[in-house]
Amino acid sequence: MNRRALQRFLHDRAAVVSLIVFALILLACLGMPVLGYSDYVSLDIGNHYAPVSLTHPFSTDNLGRDVFTRVMIGGRYTLGLSFLSTLIAITCGTLLGILAGYCGGKTDSILMRISEAISAIPYILLVIFFEVSLGWGKGWFFLAIAFAQIPAILRTIRSAVLKIRFREYIEAARAIGKSTPYILFHHVLHNISTAILVQACSSYASAIISCSILGYLEFGISFPTPEWGRMVADYFHLVQSHGFLVVIPCVFISLSVLTVTLIGNGLRDAFDIRGGSHD
Amino acid sequence: MFRFLLKRILTAIPVFLGALLAVFLLLTYIPGSRLGYLPIAGNGDLLDHLFTLFHVPANVFTRYLRYIYDVITKLHFASGFHHRDLSLEVLTRARLTLFLTFLAFLLIVLVGIPLGTYAAGKHGKWQDHLISVISLVLSSIPPFCLAIFLAIVFCVTLRLLPVFGMNGPKNFILPTITIGASGLARTIQTVRANVIEALHRPYIRTLRSHGVKERKILFGHALKNSMIPTVSIIREMTAEVFVSTFIAEWFYAIPGIGYYLIQAVNARDYGVVLACTAVTAVLILVFGIISDFLYYLLEPELRHREVSHE
Amino acid sequence: MTDILNIHDLTVSMTNGEQRFTVLQHVDLCIKRGEIRAIVGESGCGKSTLANSIIGFLPAGAVIESGSIRLADTGLLSCTAEEMRMIRAEKIGVVFQDPFSALDPVCTVYQLFRAILTVRKRYTRAEITEKAAAALHGAGIKDPGTILTRYPHELSGGLRQRVLIAMALVNEPDLLIADEPTTALDVTIQKEILTLLRRLARERGLSVLFITHSLDVAAEIADTISVFYGGRIAEEGKISDIFAYPIHPYTQALLKTIPSLSFGKEERRLMPIEGELFSFLDQHEGCPFAPRCPYAREICYHTYPVTKAIGDHTYTCIMENQL
């Protein structure tokens, strides 16, 4: 990140606030269990719906488990698995996108055809395929999320590559006999790195949504791990009497997605990358 | 026009067959699948006669052929546990899902496009900021969270709308919003960005220099020039809207395909999964054909834009 | 009242976010009914700002500091946005520089005419077709009927510019503002368009404000010329006077940049104007041309000279008439 882009990013109030909020959420998810909020399974039926206190900042649930701890542990799963799937998707998507953009021709049209086909499948069905073929409840669903993300990433990276594909410095590098891998890594990858970063943010945001949806549908991690979406499903029967149990994870999911999106938008504006639809 | 439609439908058929083959093979080979019990023989129909005539051995491919044949001739999508025939069940459910999805797309198109254009016209003013913020927030809330927020506000607190049940038009309000919200937000953002860009083009200045009204410039010219990216972004949304429909069905206990599918997945009833997947594939292909057709209707005018902007 | 356009003491300033600078300073300009006036100057001399101030298209951040603009009897600067819109619809026609992007690509020519004709009142389809066809015919288009059904990208640059001229004139305005209408066109087509504009203006008694950066284009079309430099009028007069007896050093320099067909003569070589292009960012009190002027004296940097006149030939330079 060059200095001017950094300056522009720091002047974007929404992006900076989002960065702070998201960092706090992340820090809490990673750090809180260390600070003693680590017991999310032991039941204390006598102490259900305990008053809000330092030991129970978000009260306790119907079985007397500390909600705060459950949310923080749940965040580790939701945010972590989403991150993992985004990482996989970005790696594959970038490689394929560079391949499509740089090679062009038949490779390009085949890859585009396939990615169109994949993006026409509702990813719930993809998840079912993956879970069915790799075994249920083993957490393989993050692979399906990653797989479903690839087409969008491929398209973005491809158009970013196409924009610089015929620039003079690439032609020049070819003319002086640099090898294709050298050009791809030194020129192409270097020049689209900001586009990758911005795309990673938006992919991460939608991965969080997908991950929590799968948790909510009970397709994801199995009981008793408190993944955020799963928590909503588990507490849903209490929504009328104890709405906070459902609302808290919902708020955390939405807030994470919103902040990641805003960070992505801030980066996009800072790097001056315009949306995909128009060049 | 007729030729276009015919061609489009014909190209959809291999896609459909391929998709079914993938699901079919997958579900056949997983351990413990009951798809093995799919009937290999019909009740002495044409396919049976052909099989016996040519001494076709019974294997997975004849089973697939039998399956496709049953889908086409009897709309028999699959059998559930105990060889229960699911065709009627799946088709009634599909109708409901189709209706919900249609409502959501109506919301996306009829609200999203005007609102996005309006925001672009008020670029930089408070109306624009308000619409942008709302659409940003809407696009960040997963459908089931939105459903919960809506339920708490409208059903628990305000007691205005029912959450569950299928008693009348009121029951469809919350599901439609739940399904359409994120697509709506994305449509607003896309339309807004494209219209703002169009407003900076020289031809808009020409129209302004002739005293054409700002509203007419906005909706008649800037929006018209933004229709290609708008239609394609709405078209790309189909899969996502179907996922949202499934979730809304699950949440509001609407007996559609999605509800059935999720139930079946959790019960590991692969016959139902196959049936639901097949029907979903049909629905998506139908939506694809409809949207391609709309694109085609728009195209004679819009094609010119792409050429002249090179 | 024979003046169709009367600009008096117009000063316009703009901002680039950090500092404010004046792009037009105390500009006085009168155009008589039926007169074709060319505004000549290099890019960034304020000539487009002048056009934009007349039609109310100043960009955000631009401020009219002083002065008045009168179109016939109407003071344009005191008009509301809505009044300005109607004036643009009825009284002023505008032709912009680039015909390739000035026509809405998704509308047929007929639809464009419908859009601009229905600003004033409702017309039937037949009336629109009739009026548009007449206007296109007037603009020298042979078969208006087929052109009306075409999309802009199906037309050549020259045709597009003719369509734009027809559009500008279809509501029979009093004043036509043409902002470098021929710059983007081939030389041969450029000539046709200039001839067309001149003929139309003559036939209809139309006043034209023709903005261009080249003196020879101005010479082909205009009756009178205003030479702009650095947001001020340097010299103004009949075309014959300006070409025969240029007084302001900038005009003289401009005349030397016109290519000539008389090869071989050493002294007729193209003469570029020395020095850097004028920039509004380093303005000083005196004559804006002083830093590039071969005759500049100390005083030129401090005081802006008064405008002198010989008949209707005016110039703003401390130099005396050397004739």
Side-chain angles (χ1 to χ4, degrees), chain B residues 10 37 63-64 73 96 118 122 135 147 156 177 264 279 287 291:
Chain B
L10 286 180
Y37 299 114
R63 228 181 259 153
Y64 176 63
T73 54
L96 199 53
Y118 175 78
K122 298 276 179 190
S135 65
V156 180
I177 297 175
V279 173
F287 260 84
S291 70

Side-chain angles (χ1 to χ4, degrees), chain B residues 98-118:
Chain B
L98 196 63
F99 180 61
L100 276 173
T101 316
F102 178 71
L103 281 183
F105 269 110
L106 225 53
L107 176 78
I108 289 171
V109 171
L110 296 185
V111 178
I113 294 179
L115 219 54
T117 316
Y118 175 78

Side-chain angles (χ1 to χ4, degrees), chain A residues 17 44 55 80 113 115 122 150 159 173 197 237 239 263 272 276:
Chain A
V17 172
D44 185 4
T55 35
R113 223 24 96 66
S115 78
I150 290 176
S159 69
L197 190 61
H237 61 285
V239 69
I263 294 168
D272 201 20

Side-chain angles (χ1 to χ4, degrees), chain A residues 171-185:
Chain A
E171 297 288 335
R174 282 154 67 93
I176 60 174
K178 296 283 184 197
S179 67
T180 308
Y182 179 88
I183 295 173
L184 285 181
F185 282 94

Side-chain angles (χ1 to χ4, degrees), chain C residues 71-268:
Chain C
L71 183 74
D73 299 327
T74 333
L76 295 188
L77 295 184
S78 54
C79 282
T80 62
E82 190 60 14
E83 284 166 353
M84 237 7 253
R85 188 172 70 77
M86 287 320 285
I87 284 170
R88 285 200 295 270
E90 295 172 358
K91 302 274 173 61
I92 307 179
V94 189
V95 180
F96 290 111
Q97 181 171 7
D98 182 8
F100 293 90
S101 55
L103 290 169
D104 186 344
V106 300
C107 290
T108 59
V109 175
Y110 167 79
Q111 287 169 326
L112 288 168
F113 272 101
R114 189 180 59 196
I116 62 175
L117 278 169
T118 47
V119 172
R120 290 200 296 179
K121 58 176 189 181
R122 301 185 75 84
Y123 287 107
T124 63
R125 199 183 165 87
E127 282 170 333
I128 294 172
T129 313
E130 187 191 331
K131 273 178 168 287
L136 289 172
H137 190 75
I141 289 176
K142 295 288 177 330
D143 48 348
T146 44
I147 297 295
L148 277 175
T149 61
R150 293 283 160 82
Y151 285 92
H153 80 270
E154 299 172 305
L155 309 175
S156 67
L159 268 178
R160 285 190 218 193
Q161 198 58 288
R162 283 170 196 270
V163 169
L164 279 162
I165 290 169
M167 281 167 65
L169 296 180
V170 71
N171 277 333
E172 286 162 7
D174 300 328
L175 174 70
L176 178 72
I177 297 177
D179 189 352
E180 309 218 16
T182 56
T183 314
L185 300 173
D186 291 346
V187 183
T188 46
I189 297 162
Q190 189 171 330
K191 196 119 183 160
E192 282 173 29
I193 296 287
L194 289 176
T195 321
L196 169 74
L197 272 176
R198 189 166 172 87
R199 178 171 62 78
L200 285 171
R202 283 287 174 267
E203 279 171 12
R204 303 175 186 213
L206 187 70
S207 312
V208 181
L209 184 73
F210 190 95
I211 295 172
T212 176
H213 60 257
S214 97
L215 263 178
D216 53 339
V217 168
E220 284 192 51
I221 184 164
D223 305 320
T224 48
I225 293 185
S226 300
V227 180
F228 267 62
Y229 191 82
R232 294 185 185 256
I233 297 181
E235 187 164 9
E236 188 172 291
K238 280 210 201 80
I239 197 120
S240 49
D241 290 347
I242 297 279
F243 272 78
Y245 318 110
I247 298 171
H248 198 285
Y250 177 59
T251 319
Q252 294 176 355
L254 262 187
L255 280 170
K256 283 185 195 148
T257 64
I258 298 181
S260 135
L261 285 178
S262 46
F263 293 108
K265 291 188 182 173
E266 274 301 301
E267 65 271 31
R268 288 290 288 165

